[in-house]
Amino acid sequence: MSSVPVITIIEHEEDVDARRLVSALDDLGASIQLVRPWNGEDVSSALPPDGSDLPAPDAIVVLGGRMSAYDDERAPWLPDVRTLLVRCMNEGVRTLGICLGHQLIARAAGGSVACSDPQFHEMGIVPVEWEAPFESDAAVPMTPVASATGAAIMVPAVADQLSNAMDEGGPWIRLVDDLSRIPVVFADHNDAIDELPAQARVLARSERCIHAIAVGSHALGVQFHPEVDRAWVEQSLSTSGLSQDDANQILDDFDRHERDIVAGCRRLAQWLVSGL
């Protein structure tokens, strides 16, 4: 890792940005590089070309968006994002996918996503249960997984990664232990993972859907939004079609639990910067 951690953030829409996550990363001394494919920027620039001597970023974040994980026509850069995610998983680059980014990790690794399914819809503060990672069924397939891009995923030294993750103080053990002390998250989605990739493990669930997955010891997807602030929530509610009473209730809930949202965001920022 360089003396100044470099975090690359991929933004799918102009008004769906990283908000508090940027502030948390700034507080940790990270340098942030934004890639905005919605504005014509090249997703592949997030990592150096194969064979290059240029350093990779310390971590990559793939944000949310209003499109689905299958909406390649609406967002023609999504195949490049999935290819990038395959590279990150194969090359051991720490990766955080948020909402759509979480679903794209699942797709890239060979899983599937249910789109616009009412049973998965969540909007507002949601309780989640964090699960101890890899305590059971720890063995994962050692054969490559065919990804949605057609590339094969063989997460490096999968058995070693899982062994390290199970060690006291391993990356997922520490992270899940810390996040499990935060009882709620903020969610805003209609789509959700309905089939896990073979090499993924569930780290958190709500009553309705999977809220966090890990692939190997470097890729983390979260269905919830750790990065949001009140203005982000207000903006999302303005186009939600909810009644004013329902919208006000969601804002009141957010205000009551904002400290938890901020704490989760800061913990994930620390993981991005240091892996701990």
Side-chain angles (χ1 to χ4, degrees):
M1 182 183 294
S2 62
S3 57
V4 177
V6 176
I7 313 298
T8 297
I9 299 176
I10 298 175
E11 191 179 90
H12 296 288
E13 295 187 88
E14 184 174 9
D15 60 346
V16 183
D17 54 40
R19 300 282 170 125
R20 277 190 168 134
L21 183 58
V22 168
S23 296
L25 291 169
D26 281 340
D27 289 344
L28 292 169
S31 173
I32 296 167
Q33 300 175 340
L34 290 177
V35 179
R36 297 183 170 107
W38 59 265
N39 197 34
E41 296 177 6
D42 183 6
V43 169
S44 66
S45 67
L47 286 180
D50 287 332
S52 170
D53 292 332
L54 295 172
D58 293 274
I60 285 179
V61 180
V62 180
L63 295 178
R66 297 177 183 88
M67 64 287 292
S68 82
Y70 298 89
D71 215 345
D72 296 357
E73 183 173 347
R74 177 179 175 184
W77 58 85
L78 291 184
D80 290 339
V81 174
R82 294 192 296 271
T83 298
L84 175 72
L85 288 168
V86 171
R87 282 195 62 195
C88 288
M89 286 184 273
N90 281 333
E91 297 173 23
V93 178
R94 275 194 304 281
T95 305
L96 173 64
I98 296 174
C99 199
L100 172 63
H102 160 78
Q103 297 157 15
L104 288 169
I105 286 175
R107 270 214 72 196
S112 66
V113 176
C115 298
S116 299
D117 189 329
Q119 71 172 315
F120 296 132
H121 172 72
E122 292 175 317
M123 176 67 178
I125 295 295
V126 175
V128 294
E129 292 288 336
W130 290 86
E131 303 179 8
F134 314 117
E135 283 193 349
S136 62
D137 192 26
V140 299
M142 295 302 293
T143 54
V145 174
S147 76
T149 66
I153 296 176
M154 174 62 85
V155 178
V158 171
D160 290 341
Q161 288 186 30
L162 292 177
S163 176
N164 292 338
M166 296 232 4
D167 289 344
E168 185 176 354
W172 301 130
I173 294 290
R174 292 185 185 182
L175 186 63
V176 169
D177 183 58
D178 289 344
L179 291 176
S180 67
R181 301 172 196 180
I182 301 169
V184 298
V185 296
F186 183 84
D188 181 7
H189 66 98
N190 293 302
D191 304 351
I193 294 172
D194 65 348
E195 183 178 344
L196 280 173
Q199 293 174 336
R201 289 295 177 268
V202 174
L203 299 184
R205 301 178 190 266
S206 70
E207 285 188 359
R208 288 182 176 263
C209 68
I210 294 168
H211 261 271
I213 64 169
V215 181
S217 61
H218 291 88
L220 172 68
V222 296
Q223 181 60 67
F224 58 89
H225 286 277
E227 81 283 16
V228 297
D229 59 14
R230 197 179 200 276
W232 192 102
V233 177
E234 289 175 341
Q235 177 185 356
S236 184
L237 287 169
S238 70
T239 59
S240 68
L242 292 174
S243 70
Q244 192 60 54
D245 285 345
D246 287 342
N248 288 341
Q249 183 61 60
I250 288 172
L251 285 171
D252 288 346
D253 290 343
F254 182 84
D255 291 341
R256 281 201 309 276
H257 294 286
E258 189 171 15
R259 182 177 296 181
D260 289 326
I261 307 304
V262 172
C265 182
R266 288 176 176 168
R267 183 61 185 90
L268 288 168
Q270 181 184 14
W271 177 79
L272 287 167
V273 167
S274 67
L276 299 175

